[in-house]
Amino acid sequence: MSETIKTDVLIIGAGPVGLFAVFELGLLDIKAHLVDILDKVGGQCAELYPEKPIYDIPGIPYITGHGLTEALMAQIKPFNPTFHLGEMVTTLDKIGEPAFRVATDAGKTFEAKCVVIAAGGGSFQPKRPPINGIEPYEEKSVFYAVRKMENFRDKKLLIVGGGDSALDWTLNLQPVAQRLTLVHRRDEFRGAPDSVNKMRELVAAGQMDLKIGQVSELEGDGGKLAAVSIKDKAGATSRVEIDAMLPFFGLTMKLGPVADWGIELKDNLIPVDTGTFESNVPGLFAIGDINTYPGKLKLILSGFHEAALMAQQAYHYVFPDKKLVFQYTTSSTSLQKKLGVA
Ligand SMILES: Cc1cc2nc3c(=O)[nH]c(=O)nc-3n(C[C@H](O)[C@H](O)[C@H](O)COP(=O)(O)OP(=O)(O)OC[C@H]3O[C@@H](n4cnc5c(N)ncnc54)[C@H](O)[C@@H]3O)c2cc1C
């Protein structure tokens, strides 16, 4: 078992609100680790609308989801947070007054004085493709994410999908795989044109295969895939021998494991005290889209306010013997030193 990582605060979710929480905690000398199931930071802004404009971030008339994520990452850089991406928090246990043990599906364990749940609408989870009998193969020879490319070395791989994830993993895994086949239902791709061109060059050079159609049948035994049948538009079927299949059909948001952590929930949201943004468990905070209180608006600016108040309360748990003095970043040289500007 891996060693336990100790931290002042563990933040579950690296969406815009989880990221800004690092800033508010950092100003108060509180160190944070963040875990997110996505392989990138930014939550909904990065996953659902990276190119769309946001017009209601205070003081910023216009910024895209991607732009806001980049700006938040620049803002929290002085506090050097540690990210654990591509990992889902599966369990959360109270081990002290307050203290928590948190585990991820990648086998990591954290011990933190406080936990901040900034899990938004829940965890982004892959959409299952409509293929009969796929379940017994999942996590054995059907994978919805690539955790380690080495696991696919010298394997016969089938990637299914036509978006950026399918194309990016096609380009990344093609040099590693024994043979790679990409299957998409039509000969047009939603992914970046540059990736599409690179994929077509590999096909033209005979270094990978492209099949237009849909996976109609799986062959295998005991969770181990042996081959798939692919049906084209005209109804003709071809058979491809494979060791593993990687479908990339997009992501959907589900509350996920948060529901199993013994926290009081209301309509799948965490009720909080609006003075501290703490749940019914002291030291366990909920900020951003995941919380609920009278008048709650699921806006990024609300989450930023919640992060600031959460940090004030977390300070008392992390430094029980110290007095907290309220300061402005404009006039406090101590805050400016932490930000690296004084
Ligand atoms: C199309 C669209 C347009 C929008 N436009 C605006 C706008 O103009 N202005 C505005 O203010 N808001 C807008 N919003 C809403 C805004 O994006 C959300 O309010 C904001 O993203 C909430 O931030 P968050 O950090 O609370 O959660 P999220 O952005 O949802 O991030 C939560 C993160 O937690 C992770 N997570 C969840 N559970 C786990 C777990 N168990 N383990 C590990 N990680 C986990 C998720 O993977 C996710 O990355 C828009 C939303 C959408 C969908």
Side-chain angles (χ1 to χ4, degrees), residues 247-310:
F248 294 105
F249 278 46
L251 299 171
T252 170
M253 281 181 98
K254 287 196 184 140
L255 182 62
V258 177
D260 307 323
W261 297 339
I263 312 165
E264 179 193 325
L265 293 179
K266 189 179 169 209
D267 299 329
N268 279 342
L269 298 165
I270 304 175
V272 284
D273 174 331
T274 51
T276 59
F277 292 94
E278 233 168 346
S279 68
N280 63 324
V281 182
L284 183 60
F285 298 84
I287 57 175
D289 279 12
I290 192 78
N291 73 15
T292 181
Y293 52 86
K296 166 76 181 183
L297 289 178
K298 285 191 183 183
L299 284 176
I300 295 165
L301 70 87
S302 317
F304 288 172
H305 158 79
E306 295 160 15
L309 268 63
M310 169 280 293

Side-chain angles (χ1 to χ4, degrees), residues 12-19 35-38 40-49 52-57 84 87-90 117-124 253-258 261 287-290 296-303:
I12 303 172
V17 178
L19 293 179
V35 182
D36 202 301
I37 194 167
L38 294 178
K40 54 178 172 283
V41 300
Q44 294 175 47
C45 299
E47 185 59 40
L48 300 181
Y49 57 101
K52 279 205 180 125
I54 311 172
Y55 299 102
D56 57 355
I57 302 297
H84 305 266
E87 293 185 35
M88 178 163 76
V89 171
T90 46
I117 305 177
S123 44
F124 285 99
M253 281 181 98
K254 287 196 184 140
L255 182 62
V258 177
W261 297 339
I287 57 175
D289 279 12
I290 192 78
K296 166 76 181 183
L297 289 178
K298 285 191 183 183
L299 284 176
I300 295 165
L301 70 87
S302 317

Side-chain angles (χ1 to χ4, degrees), residues 25 28 34 55 59 89 139 155-156 158 177 283 332 341:
L25 291 165
L28 306 183
L34 298 96
Y55 299 102
V89 171
E139 295 305 319
K155 297 268 163 70
K156 287 176 265 167
L158 186 88
S332 159
V341 291

